[in-house]
Amino acid sequence: VLRRGSWYAIASCFTLMGASQCILVTFGQWLEDTFRYSAANIATVGFALGAVELFASTSSAKYTDAWGKERSVAMGASLMVPAALLIAFTSHNIVTGLIGLLVVLMGFEFAVVSLLPLGAQLVPGKRGRGMGLLIGAGTLGRAAVSIAATRLYDQHGIPPAAIGAGLLALGTVLLISMHAKIAEKY
């Protein structure tokens, strides 16, 4: 038995992880195709992204309790929307493209780390079951979006499927907001 509104949090994990996957699954190919990045250059960008993710994760740990879990998830996902659109509409400019990529990943990491504690509260008395549902939904979101994102990139040149990432991140904001409203009632 799930707490009321739990499916909103589970669906949020699906959309949030799907949104990040839109970008992650194609960013290396985008850098290679558009800017002729070598494998070494792509690896350097990957290391920089790792540093950004670490910063966002530790910031989430610091601020989520003060701001609230739902609000923190919504704020992180809200960062992803304009950043994904920035990538989509300025994809031929390396500076704005990389800034967009960094902000998308920072927003994602902040949001997902803030979302994880909600998983432990989804099923009364069964923390592991709630976390399993949340992580399973996120994994399914990544799997479902990977095929679509790579197809959009390969067939239509949509830079790292950024528009899809923006839409999914917006979906996360809406879903987590619904979860918060239901949680307030009960």
Side-chain angles (χ1 to χ4, degrees):
V1 176
L2 295 171
R3 289 189 198 280
R4 189 174 300 272
S6 291
W7 285 109
Y8 289 111
I10 292 166
S12 292
C13 197
F14 178 93
T15 58
L16 185 62
M17 289 198 171
S20 74
Q21 193 70 4
C22 280
I23 300 292
L24 291 176
V25 76
T26 57
F27 95 88
Q29 191 67 44
W30 167 65
L31 290 173
E32 186 178 332
D33 292 347
T34 308
F35 305 107
R36 303 288 180 231
Y37 268 44
S38 66
N41 290 353
I42 293 169
T44 301
V45 172
F47 282 118
L49 296 176
V52 166
E53 287 181 322
L54 177 63
F55 171 74
S57 294
T58 56
S59 295
S60 175
K62 182 177 180 180
Y63 294 110
T64 297
D65 286 338
W67 295 344
K69 295 172 201 70
E70 290 92 348
R71 185 174 177 207
S72 295
V73 173
M75 288 170 59
S78 294
L79 276 176
M80 294 174 71
V81 176
L85 294 174
L86 180 68
I87 295 169
F89 296 114
T90 65
S91 65
H92 292 318
N93 181 312
I94 189 67
V95 174
T96 56
L98 287 178
I99 288 170
L101 182 62
L102 291 172
V103 174
V104 163
L105 289 177
M106 185 172 20
F108 165 72
E109 198 64 33
F110 187 88
V112 79
V113 171
S114 298
L115 182 61
L116 290 175
L118 287 174
Q121 301 171 352
L122 298 179
V123 181
K126 309 264 189 222
R127 291 180 181 268
R129 186 171 293 169
M131 287 298 292
L133 287 168
L134 196 73
I135 299 300
T139 301
L140 183 60
R142 285 184 177 210
V145 170
S146 291
I147 294 167
T150 54
R151 178 166 283 174
L152 283 171
Y153 180 75
D154 290 342
Q155 293 181 353
H156 304 289
I158 295 176
I163 293 172
L167 291 172
L168 287 168
L170 181 60
T172 300
V173 172
L174 296 174
L175 288 164
I176 206 66
S177 297
M178 292 299 297
H179 179 268
K181 286 179 185 175
I182 289 172
E184 285 175 8
K185 289 181 182 179
Y186 297 94

